[in-house]
Amino acid sequence: MAVPIAILDCDLLLYGRGHRTLDRFKLEDVTDEYLVSTYGFPRQFIYYLVDLLGASVSRPTQRSRAISPETQILAALGFYTSGSFQTRMGDAIGISQASMSRCVANVTEALVERASQFIHFPEDEATVQSLKDDFYGLAGMPGVLGVVDCTHVAIKAPNAEDLSYVNRKGLHSLNCLMVCDARGALLSAETHWPGSLPDCTVLQQAALTSRFETELHKDGWLLGDSSFLLRTWLMTPLHIPETPAEYRYNMAHSATHNVIERTFRTIRSRFRCLDGSKGTLQYSPEKSSHIILACCVLHNISLEHGLDVWSSPATGHVEQPEEEYEQMESMDSEACRVRQELLLTHFS
C-alpha cells in the first residue's frame, strides 16, 4: 500500500497559516521610521532594490508559498544592518532562520553580480576632472584619483583551518582593499584577500595595481598610507619630513587620505554584520567575501540615493589589526621623481 508523503513547509510549521508575514502586507502599512529602524533603509530605497534585484532573486519553485523578492530583500537588509538571524529579525519578517539564510544568499549573489555597475572608476574626462577637483578642495592635494587602504573583516575559521586567514592578532579575517572618492563612494573593492597578507602584499597582487600599471595614469595618482610603497601612480607620505614643503605635503596627504577611514567607519556603522559586534561572519571565506562586497554595493547605491551617513558614530567592536609598517625607501626612482616634482610644484 502506497504511503502518501507530506511535503512540510518549515515556515508553516513554525508560524502557522495565520501568521502575518511580509508576503501578506504592503510596505505602505508601516512607517519609514519602522523600516529604517528594522531594516536600515527607507521605503523608496527598498522599492528601488526590489526593481533592481527582483528578477534575479525570483526562483522557479513548486512551493505554493515561495518567498517574494520583496521579503527576500528585507530579510537580507535586516541581516546586513543588524548582523543577526535571531528571533527578533525572524519574527519581524515571519520566516524561519533557515529561510532567512537562503534569502541572504540570494540577495548577496544578486548584488555581487552588479558590483561593476556600481563600483568603478570614472572614465570620461569631465568626471575624472571633477573627481580631482573634489579631492583638491579637501586639503589642496592635486591630481588625486582616489584614496586607497585596507580593512580587516572578521570571519569564522575555515573548515580546513587555513592559516592564511589568521591575521597579526591571531584572528581569522579577510583583508579588503578599497579605493574611494572624496565623498566616500567606492571606486574599487577587492574583498577576498586572506587576513595574513600585509597591506603592501595585497596591493602588489591586486587587480587594482595591474590596472594602474597597464593603463599608465600619468595625469593623476592614488593616495596610500605608509603601509604601501611609493609608485608613480601611488603617492605615499614622506617618512621623515624635513622641509616646510615636505611638512605641508604630509599634512595635505593625511587630511585627504582620512576620507577612506571615514568611509570604513560609515560602512561598518551602517552594516553591522561587518563591525564585529555580533561576532564573526559565519561563512566560508568566499561567501564572507561576497557579503562584504554586497554591502559595498549597497553603500554606493545608498550614496546615489542621498542616504549619507558620514555623521553616524562607529559602533561595535572592530577586529582590525594595526599594521606595523616597515618604513622602506622606494627603489622606484621615477616614483621618487614624480613625488619630488609634486612637492616643488605645489607645496614649496
Side-chain angles (χ1 to χ4, degrees):
M1 178 179 177
V3 178
I5 298 175
I7 298 176
L8 300 180
D9 185 322
C10 59
D11 294 327
L12 184 62
L13 285 175
L14 283 172
Y15 299 111
R17 295 192 180 276
H19 187 77
R20 187 189 192 203
T21 74
L22 286 175
D23 289 308
R24 296 178 181 170
F25 76 84
K26 302 296 183 181
L27 286 175
E28 290 83 356
D29 293 342
V30 294
T31 65
D32 260 2
E33 289 75 12
Y34 171 80
L35 292 172
V36 171
S37 65
T38 308
Y39 307 105
F41 293 95
R43 187 186 333 276
Q44 292 305 316
F45 184 85
I46 295 170
Y47 282 147
Y48 173 81
L49 292 181
V50 172
D51 289 341
L52 178 69
L53 307 177
S56 297
V57 301
S58 297
R59 299 286 190 266
T61 178
Q62 299 299 315
R63 297 176 60 196
S64 61
R65 300 179 72 252
I67 302 173
S68 69
E70 184 177 276
T71 300
Q72 291 190 59
I73 289 166
L74 286 167
L77 292 178
F79 169 71
Y80 297 147
T81 58
S82 74
S84 175
F85 282 140
Q86 302 309 311
T87 303
R88 183 184 69 83
M89 188 57 62
D91 286 347
I93 299 176
I95 60 176
S96 68
Q97 183 171 327
S99 293
M100 275 201 64
S101 183
R102 289 193 296 271
C103 292
V104 171
N106 290 343
V107 175
T108 295
E109 292 311 304
L111 287 167
V112 168
E113 289 171 1
R114 290 161 177 77
S116 61
Q117 177 183 345
F118 294 100
I119 302 176
H120 56 82
F121 282 91
E123 296 184 356
D124 63 281
E125 291 186 10
T127 307
V128 170
Q129 187 58 51
S130 177
L131 183 67
K132 294 179 184 178
D133 292 343
D134 289 343
F135 274 119
Y136 187 79
L138 294 179
M141 179 69 77
V144 180
L145 299 169
V147 290
V148 59
D149 207 350
C150 288
T151 186
H152 286 255
V153 176
I155 63 171
K156 74 172 184 178
N159 291 333
E161 280 295 332
D162 190 341
L163 294 180
S164 68
Y165 291 94
V166 179
N167 61 38
R168 299 178 72 94
K169 287 189 174 181
L171 304 170
H172 292 84
S173 68
L174 290 169
N175 196 2
C176 306
L177 178 73
M178 301 187 193
V179 180
C180 75
D181 66 14
R183 66 191 182 105
L186 296 173
L187 304 173
S188 177
E190 299 184 34
T191 60
H192 62 284
W193 297 102
S196 66
L197 293 181
D199 294 359
C200 187
T201 302
V202 169
L203 183 63
Q204 286 174 349
Q205 299 179 10
L208 178 71
T209 292
S210 177
R211 172 176 182 177
F212 268 79
E213 290 187 344
T214 56
E215 294 184 12
L216 296 176
H217 290 268
K218 295 181 179 179
D219 58 343
W221 37 73
L222 302 179
L223 295 188
D225 63 20
S226 298
S227 62
F228 302 117
L229 282 174
L230 178 71
R231 300 169 185 258
T232 56
W233 51 268
L234 177 66
M235 294 293 102
T236 60
L238 290 141
H239 178 35
I240 304 177
E242 296 177 347
T243 67
E246 291 175 345
Y247 276 103
R248 285 192 288 269
Y249 166 85
N250 269 14
M251 289 179 64
H253 187 292
S254 177
T256 307
H257 188 266
N258 185 54
V259 173
I260 191 81
E261 298 300 332
R262 295 173 65 196
T263 300
F264 289 156
R265 290 195 298 269
T266 295
I267 292 172
R268 291 181 186 277
S269 176
R270 171 164 274 159
F271 303 108
R272 298 288 299 278
C273 68
L274 308 181
D275 76 359
S277 65
K278 300 292 185 180
T280 62
L281 283 174
Q282 297 297 301
Y283 296 92
S284 68
E286 181 182 8
K287 289 184 178 179
S288 295
S289 170
H290 285 188
I291 288 174
I292 299 166
L293 185 55
C295 291
C296 291
V297 173
L298 285 172
H299 168 75
N300 274 14
I301 296 175
S302 68
L303 288 180
E304 286 186 7
H305 284 72
L307 303 178
D308 193 346
V309 291
W310 278 118
S311 59
S312 297
T315 55
H317 181 58
V318 177
E319 297 290 0
Q320 180 169 345
E322 295 180 4
E323 293 285 349
E324 296 178 7
Y325 303 142
E326 182 181 353
Q327 298 287 353
M328 298 177 293
E329 292 299 325
S330 174
M331 300 302 291
D332 188 337
S333 59
E334 178 63 15
C336 292
R337 185 196 65 77
V338 170
R339 185 170 65 181
Q340 188 61 30
E341 183 177 330
L342 176 60
L343 279 162
L344 293 173
T345 305
H346 294 279
F347 294 98
S348 294

